[in-house]
Structures are given as structure tokens and as C-alpha cells.
Amino acid sequence: MINEVLIGEIKEAQKYTNFVILMPTLHETYNFKNITLKKETNKQRSSIRFEIHSKGKVLRIKQFFYDWAIPVITADTNLIQQGKSFEIEGIVGFIGIDYKGNQAACFCRWFTNIELSVIEGTFDEKEILIILEGLKAVDNDSIRTIGEQSFTTCSYTARYNRSKWNTDDEVSRVAWYEANKKIQIEENLGIKIPKNHNEFILDSIGYKEYESDTEYHFLYRSQEDFTNGFWIWIAPRKFSDPLPQFTGNKIGTRQSWNIKKVSGSILHIPVNEIILCRQNTKYKSWMVHWEKDNYIYHFYSRASIKNNIREFQSFFSELYSQ
């Protein structure tokens, strides 16, 4: 059980994080213990951890803004192999094994990444999902003031241009802007950037100009749940991740992918060949990669209960319309 005094303390903690703190609604057989808060500073990202105890078994939940990678993409940040997908209120998460070999799960709401790890005993899958489903905002106003704001506004990485591991990466090396920057970027790149696609709206733009070329990021988020989304990364070859080298089924270790090369015309992309990647789970994530005019293009969509890559045909068509 969680007493009123503790709830008040956690509401105070909300002032020091850049994500919506989610607290469990627990049955009386559960106990809530060992809260640890890291306050955001200009040298430290914020996070909160706590434990849930029940009849000799314990699980730990860590919450933070996973903003050193694009937050709408990775739905299984603490798992070391392809997990089993599940759905809660239209949002997809994964359950499996974490990097310490513990029974684990990963879920997300708004900008809050939730990593669950069983550290004593065993919880059955249904029990874990009930606990995740019971996580609610400790302060509902934070949904509006943080959860529904843009990546540019809330992200520690975007505000401080500081990478997580003190190495060069695609998220921290660019400058981030609100979506109204898109007109100038359209002119530079010679493409048309859709302002929205179905429920998704252009949330933030990242870019950096180099001596002879430019790197671009376009982040789209769902206006229905502010959690689902997709990301387009356009980079000169020397700054881009390489294209996938292998095709086939069950490619990858931490995640499992079906990867094949197809005609670009399938998705209305004006190239001869694209690499299409489909995650091998019930609820799938998609990746699409292609090359054009000395740039490598990457499209990533978050695992979703309704994503089908063909639903993005009109988006790709509009992307190249003049």
C-alpha cells in the first residue's frame, strides 16, 4: 500500500524530473519500498527507482526519459534478447530477460521509460502486466506540462547537447528545434516534409550543417497517446549507421528481425532498392533503409498494435512530392 504522505513526497519529486512519474496502484498484499530519486542537473539526467514487495518476492521499477536515443523507437531497452510483446491501453511493451539475467519487462508512457526487473523470487507474467497496467501519473497535470510537450522542450539531450556515454552519436551531435523549422529544411533538402500522417504529427526536428552536407532528423509522435511514433533520419554516408548487411529470418541478437530487399516502388520511394525490416513479434516495429543522392535514409516506427508498413505508403509518396 502507498500512504498519503508518500504520495505527497513523490509529487514533490516530479518537480525535478523531465518525465511523468508513474506510481503503482497496489493491492494490500503489496508493499512499496526503497525510493531513490536522481534530480536533473546540468550534469545529470533524472530518474526514479522503487521496489514492490509481495510475499517474499521483490521487483524493482526504474523510470527515466530514454532520450539519448530516439524515444519513440526502442520499446525494450533493458532486455538482452527478443522479448514477448504485450499491449496495455494501446501501448506495446516487451517481457523477457534483462542484462542481469532477471525476469524483466519494459514499457513506456509519454516520455517515461519503465524498466521492470524481478530481483527476488518469481512473478508470473499476468502479475507483472497487472502491476504495469496499474502505473498512473502521480500528478495528472504533469501529463500536459511534460508528457504532451515536444522532444525538443523536454529532452535532456536536446537541451544540453550531451550524449549519455561521452561519445559522438546521432542524437546529441545535432541541434534540436520545434517543428516550425521545417520550411527552411525543406528548401535545403529538396523534399516535402509532411506536417502530419494519420494520428502522427511532426514533433521535433534535429539537424546539423557540415562543410558540404547536412544531417536531418524528423520525429513524429501520436497525438492520441503521445507515446507511439516514428522517426526519419537522413544522413551523409560518413555520419550514418551502415545499411543492414544480411537478409533473412531471425536476424539479430537483442532483437529479432525479418530483413529483405524489395523494390522501392512498393512504398513509393524513388529508388531501385530498399531494405525492409520487420520485427519478429506479435506487435511489430518496422525499419526501412535506402540510399539516394549520397544520403542514407532510415525510417523507424515504434512497435504498435496497428502499425502496418503499407500504411506509410502515402507518407513516403508525400515526402517526395514537389
Side-chain angles (χ1 to χ4, degrees):
M1 299 291 288
I2 305 177
N3 61 49
E4 292 298 326
V5 174
L6 186 56
I7 291 174
E9 292 175 355
I10 297 171
K11 283 185 177 180
E12 180 69 18
Q14 180 67 82
K15 298 177 182 179
Y16 303 101
T17 71
N18 64 336
F19 58 89
V20 178
I21 295 178
L22 304 172
M23 301 310 297
T25 51
L26 297 175
H27 188 270
E28 61 183 9
T29 58
Y30 294 92
N31 290 306
F32 183 79
K33 296 182 178 181
N34 301 332
I35 303 172
T36 303
L37 171 70
K38 281 188 178 180
K39 299 179 181 181
E40 181 183 300
T41 69
N42 60 357
K43 295 182 179 179
Q44 175 178 274
R45 289 172 167 82
S46 59
S47 66
I48 191 168
R49 302 182 188 208
F50 54 82
E51 295 176 359
I52 295 175
H53 293 236
S54 177
K55 298 179 180 178
K57 53 191 179 181
V58 183
L59 63 79
R60 180 176 57 233
I61 289 178
K62 178 181 178 181
Q63 298 177 13
F64 58 99
F65 188 164
Y66 186 71
D67 67 343
W68 54 95
I70 297 297
V72 301
I73 304 309
T74 306
D76 55 357
T77 54
N78 59 331
L79 304 186
I80 60 169
Q81 60 191 37
Q82 181 60 69
K84 176 183 177 182
S85 61
F86 62 85
E87 173 266 333
I88 296 174
E89 296 181 1
I91 308 298
V92 171
F94 289 87
I95 191 165
I97 303 297
D98 70 11
Y99 52 90
K100 292 185 178 180
N102 295 328
Q103 183 185 13
C106 189
F107 192 57
C108 186
R109 291 301 307 267
W110 304 290
F111 285 134
T112 308
N113 199 69
I114 303 154
E115 293 183 349
L116 180 153
S117 180
V118 176
I119 56 178
E120 290 184 26
T122 302
F123 287 75
D124 62 47
E125 182 177 316
K126 181 179 179 180
E127 193 173 10
I128 288 174
L129 297 184
I130 288 173
I131 290 171
L132 289 174
E133 188 173 8
L135 291 172
K136 305 299 180 183
V138 71
D139 178 2
N140 285 331
D141 194 49
S142 66
I143 297 173
R144 176 185 58 82
T145 60
I146 300 176
E148 296 181 359
Q149 299 303 307
S150 70
F151 178 83
T152 298
T153 298
C154 294
S155 164
Y156 179 94
T157 299
R159 287 182 283 119
Y160 290 100
N161 280 107
R162 184 170 297 159
S163 66
K164 174 69 171 176
W165 311 114
N166 296 318
T167 57
D168 179 68
D169 66 72
E170 65 275 10
V171 180
S172 63
R173 69 172 171 245
V174 302
W176 286 91
Y177 300 90
E178 303 291 344
N180 57 13
K181 191 78 175 177
K182 81 184 192 74
I183 296 175
Q184 178 184 333
I185 293 176
E186 286 178 333
E187 294 174 353
N188 292 347
L189 194 58
I191 63 175
K192 191 75 173 177
I193 303 167
K195 184 178 179 181
N196 54 61
H197 176 72
N198 297 337
E199 72 189 77
F200 304 102
I201 190 167
L202 184 59
D203 174 277
S204 294
I205 294 172
Y207 84 102
K208 182 175 181 178
E209 295 183 2
Y210 301 102
E211 185 174 340
S212 58
D213 39 37
T214 309
E215 180 175 5
Y216 304 89
H217 300 263
F218 305 104
L219 174 61
Y220 290 78
R221 292 173 71 207
S222 168
Q223 296 301 285
E224 295 180 1
D225 56 45
F226 292 91
T227 305
N228 285 314
F230 63 92
W231 169 43
I232 297 176
W233 174 27
I234 305 171
R237 286 188 179 89
K238 61 184 176 181
F239 294 109
S240 172
D241 285 349
L243 294 172
Q245 296 182 346
F246 304 102
T247 59
N249 296 316
K250 297 182 179 179
I251 303 295
T253 301
R254 206 181 69 78
Q255 295 174 326
S256 176
W257 295 90
N258 180 302
I259 303 176
K260 60 183 179 180
K261 295 181 179 180
V262 299
S263 167
S265 62
I266 289 177
L267 292 175
H268 300 166
I269 298 171
V271 295
N272 292 327
E273 183 178 80
I274 64 176
I275 300 173
L276 183 63
C277 311
R278 184 192 71 224
Q279 193 173 13
N280 290 316
T281 54
K282 179 180 179 180
Y283 302 123
K284 301 171 176 56
S285 178
W286 292 88
M287 301 187 295
V288 184
H289 310 278
W290 68 96
E291 293 188 62
K292 188 175 186 291
D293 299 333
N294 297 315
Y295 281 84
I296 295 182
Y297 291 67
H298 305 273
F299 168 89
Y300 304 86
S301 74
R302 193 180 193 280
S304 169
I305 62 173
K306 53 188 176 182
N307 271 3
N308 184 306
I309 194 61
R310 292 190 180 274
E311 294 178 3
F312 292 98
Q313 282 180 318
S314 62
F315 176 86
F316 291 125
S317 179
E318 187 177 353
L319 185 69
Y320 284 100
S321 65
Q322 298 298 322

